[in-house]
Amino acid sequence: MRRTLTMAVVAAALLAPAGPLSVAAAGSVAAPVAVGRWSAREAQSFWTAERMASAAPLPPVPPELVDPAPPELPEAPEPAEPAVPAEPVEPAVPAEPAEPAELPEQVPAATPTPVVTGLPVPSATPAATPTPTPTRTPGSVPTPTRAPSAPTPTPAPTPAPLPAPARPAVPRLPSLSPGIGQNFDGIPVAGRMYLVKGGGAYFCTASVVSSPGRNLVLTAAHCLLGSDTQQVAFVPQYTRAKPQPYGMFPVLRDAGGRSKIWIDPRYRSQGVDRAAALDVAFAQVGPDARGFPVEAVVGGNRLVTGAGYTHARVALIGYPASAARPRVCVNRTTKFTSADARIPGSFLRINCTGYPGGTSGGPFLTGYDARTGTGDVVGVIGGWKTGGDKADTSYSAYFGADIRKLYEKAVAGAKARRR
């Protein structure tokens, strides 16, 4: 988000001991931990509470920046998974009973949670029938005695499966006046997206989007641009008082060590202004330290495309600058068509106070259900001037056919392996 931060805030972030990393440490940190490896435990070891608290909002992206990195979409499916396009919201099998967040009927339930199971217990081998020793008769050739059968090995005990994640406690939203933002304790489905870029520790806002693999998060594309974007992890409902109430979910890497992120190639090649209408990204996150996918732990919002620009009531959630807690606001959205030829397109616009840097990627939610803490996501803070040039007015790229196609690519590429 192209917001103006005060010099005091920027200086404080740069001087924080666990915030943007020193030049000396940048080389070792920016390199991947290991090609294809970046687990929840590794992410938790790197993103300590101190480092998360001192991370800075991602600096504004220069409008002329063209991402030299190739599109980070999977070039080929995993060997065990044929490249069959997946329906974006059609489940492969019914959802398991222990679903942490009950989704409205308008979108099918997601696939069941992969769980860690023990190896199947082999069936017992029947004991061999004893063979009598043959009697030697004169002139006959002695018949060798059959060797006794080997004892049947005792099967190893089957480890008990992990218990299903507990249903997250959804806090009440504060009493809100239209257009007036308030800090609150957050909701499980939204959180901070942490990353290392250029040797610095930064964050944007992201949220879980429902998918068959139950492993996708949604944010703004400008938050994840650049081949130097490393150590990316999503932390649901982060607050400074409770840094990891639902654990940490690392953005996975492909075989080449690149983060599994889906951004429209035109956004990379044309830049943040020329392709502002495509400022949307999906990322595949791995399971938490216990092995559960993110949607099984905190639930997921439903992606809605083609819903128009005007909505009577939208809940806007974001993590502003150095605030210890996220911010929420409700208001209507309107259509904004850019008159600047350098930033073409039409966008959703919402007036909500107090959304500076750090809130980029925050979801626009309609139909918010206070019982489940989820809603329909129709936008994310970004787009025009990467979200706006004033903290009290925010923008989003329109969720139309291009965003639906991008989501479908992410669903196909992030299809969870069957266990």
Side-chain angles (χ1 to χ4, degrees):
M1 180 170 292
R2 206 170 300 168
R3 311 297 200 193
T4 302
L5 301 178
T6 64
M7 292 303 296
V9 171
V10 174
L14 294 175
L15 293 175
L21 307 171
S22 65
V23 174
S28 60
V29 171
V33 172
V35 173
R37 285 191 59 200
W38 175 237
S39 69
R41 295 189 186 280
E42 289 169 327
Q44 287 174 325
S45 177
F46 180 84
W47 289 109
T48 62
E50 293 77 14
R51 178 162 284 154
M52 287 192 287
S54 59
L58 192 69
V61 180
E64 67 278 3
L65 175 67
V66 174
D67 190 354
E72 296 177 355
L73 302 178
E75 297 178 358
E78 297 289 340
E81 298 174 358
V84 179
E87 289 298 326
V89 291
E90 181 178 342
V93 296
E96 63 185 26
E99 181 67 34
E102 183 178 338
L103 302 179
E105 296 179 355
Q106 68 188 75
V107 174
T111 51
T113 307
V115 296
V116 179
T117 58
L119 297 175
V121 180
S123 58
T125 303
T129 304
T131 303
T133 303
T135 304
R136 183 174 182 176
T137 58
S140 66
V141 178
T143 304
T145 303
R146 180 181 296 178
S149 58
T152 303
T154 303
T158 304
L162 292 174
R167 178 185 290 273
V170 181
R172 287 182 175 274
L173 295 183
S175 178
L176 299 169
S177 299
I180 306 300
Q182 292 186 40
N183 290 351
F184 76 128
D185 289 332
I187 57 175
V189 79
R192 277 188 177 188
M193 178 79 89
Y194 288 97
L195 57 107
V196 169
K197 183 186 287 286
Y202 301 103
F203 72 89
C204 277
T205 302
S207 59
V208 184
V209 61
S210 187
S211 68
R214 311 179 85 183
N215 55 3
L216 289 182
V217 293
L218 169 68
T219 189
H222 73 265
C223 290
L224 298 176
L225 279 179
S227 57
D228 62 337
T229 299
Q230 301 285 345
Q231 266 75 346
V232 190
F234 174 67
V235 182
Q237 202 177 342
Y238 168 88
T239 64
R240 195 168 299 166
K242 295 181 179 180
Q244 292 186 50
Y246 296 102
M248 185 175 292
F249 298 84
V251 171
L252 296 182
R253 296 170 177 164
D254 63 18
R258 298 175 299 179
S259 295
K260 300 188 79 170
I261 296 166
W262 287 265
I263 296 173
D264 193 297
R266 291 169 292 178
Y267 192 80
R268 295 183 184 277
S269 62
Q270 297 176 21
V272 301
D273 276 355
R274 190 69 187 167
L278 300 170
D279 191 3
V280 177
F282 296 94
Q284 180 185 358
V285 295
D288 63 11
R290 296 198 306 155
F292 290 109
V294 66
E295 194 177 337
V297 178
V298 300
N301 296 315
R302 294 147 303 278
L303 180 74
V304 175
T305 57
Y309 295 85
T310 59
H311 301 276
R313 182 180 175 86
V314 167
L316 186 66
I317 297 173
Y319 280 80
S322 59
R325 300 188 298 163
R327 194 166 182 84
V328 64
C329 171
V330 295
N331 208 350
R332 65 190 183 96
T333 60
T334 57
K335 183 177 181 179
F336 169 78
T337 300
S338 174
D340 188 340
R342 297 169 300 177
I343 316 176
S346 295
F347 307 86
L348 279 72
R349 176 171 59 187
I350 188 170
N351 292 322
C352 276
T353 59
Y355 284 76
T359 58
S360 285
F364 285 54
L365 296 179
T366 62
Y368 178 77
D369 186 337
R371 183 176 58 88
T372 64
T374 63
D376 297 331
V377 59
V378 296
V380 294
I381 297 178
W384 191 75
K385 294 192 175 181
T386 59
D389 54 0
K390 297 178 181 178
D392 296 342
T393 302
S394 299
Y395 300 82
S396 170
Y398 177 64
F399 281 17
D402 287 328
I403 306 307
R404 171 60 60 178
K405 290 177 183 177
L406 185 65
Y407 170 78
E408 291 173 355
K409 289 181 180 179
V411 165
K415 187 170 58 175
R417 290 191 178 190
R418 297 178 180 175
R419 297 189 179 186

